[in-house]
Amino acid sequence: MKRAKVVLVSGASSGIGRATATLLHAKGHIVYGTSRDPERHQAPWRMLCLDVTGEASCAAAVATVLAEQGRIDALVNNAGLVLAGAVEDTAPDEARAVLETNLFGALRLTQAVLPAMRAEKSGVIVNVGSLAGRVGLPFQGLYSASKYALEGLSESLALELKSFGIQVTLVAPGDTATSVVDNRRKARAAESPDSAYAGPFGRALATFEAEERAGAPADGVAGRIVAIVEGRATGPRYVVGPIAQRILVAARAFIPVRLFQWGLARYYRLGG
Ligand SMILES: NC(=O)c1ccc[n+]([C@@H]2O[C@H](COP(=O)([O-])OP(=O)(O)OC[C@H]3O[C@@H](n4cnc5c(N)ncnc54)[C@H](OP(=O)(O)O)[C@@H]3O)[C@@H](O)[C@H]2O)c1
């Protein structure tokens, strides 16, 4: 094997992050995973305490890796928060929490690692997006907004960093069987029986949960992320997951928006 990579994986306590860290470790790389509660999530690699919503927490995690290894070859911005609820039912603090984690969390870690990567004139940043960042999903409006934003950030970064020898790649997974169903937050007002959206929200949520529980194993997404980290996949974006979902995303460009949305509304039994 070539020189082992030093890799920081945010959100490695479960799901896609844990599968990625496990595979990287198994392949001999030097892995730093993170959790907000590292004591609860023992692992064979180094587990750091990190809350991506905190500036100081991000800086400290990156400083620890640099102090111990002298470099960071790859950053995997995987930590994520899923919020369900109608846009109208989402309070400002709930909306902010999603963006603070999924967008600004990735931004904070990226800004923290870049000086060291630029000094090395090499590096890889993998941003874990979502199909919800390619298609606006009902009752996941803030989550979709955060993942669309992450797509834009990734494309801009890829252009800005190319001349420094740094690759930025977005991986957009489809439904993946992880702890996401248990960890998903619901907007407070969405849980109230008084919500104007109670019926369609309940039906759409049941569909989301069934799809996620039956989703592809996290190993598939992890395998793609590891290929990117190892320099075997150098594209700016990869859509990974169930074939039907990948076809849907690809076909979207050729289907009139009105027809596409009609199909989604039928699929999620939104009524109306
Ligand atoms: N599962 C899917 O179907 C799916 C589909 C598309 C995209 N994704 C994306 O894949 C990524 C991983 O999701 P998953 O499905 O593996 O979910 P998961 O099992 O719920 O894992 C989420 C991870 O994010 C970490 N995290 C959450 N908030 C954090 C914060 N404020 N600071 C630091 N870490 C935080 C959690 O760590 P601690 O709680 O231990 O801190 C946990 O390790 C997310 O970005 C998600 O949006 C998932």
Side-chain angles (χ1 to χ4, degrees), residues 11 13-14 16 35-36 51-52 78 129 143 147 173-174 176 178 183:
S13 61
S14 70
I16 292 169
S35 167
R36 285 166 294 180
D51 183 338
V52 297
N78 165 77
Y143 180 68
K147 295 296 186 178
T176 311
T178 66
N183 293 340

Side-chain angles (χ1 to χ4, degrees), residues 134-182:
R134 317 283 304 157
V135 175
L137 296 176
F139 304 113
Q140 303 226 38
L142 270 300
Y143 180 68
S144 273
S146 72
K147 295 296 186 178
Y148 267 84
L150 190 61
E151 290 240 350
L153 188 76
S154 294
E155 287 185 11
S156 297
L157 268 173
L159 292 169
E160 291 173 8
L161 294 174
K162 199 170 170 50
S163 65
F164 292 101
I166 299 167
Q167 177 188 335
V168 180
T169 296
L170 183 119
V171 172
D175 285 318
T176 311
T178 66
S179 309
V180 70
V181 175
D182 305 316

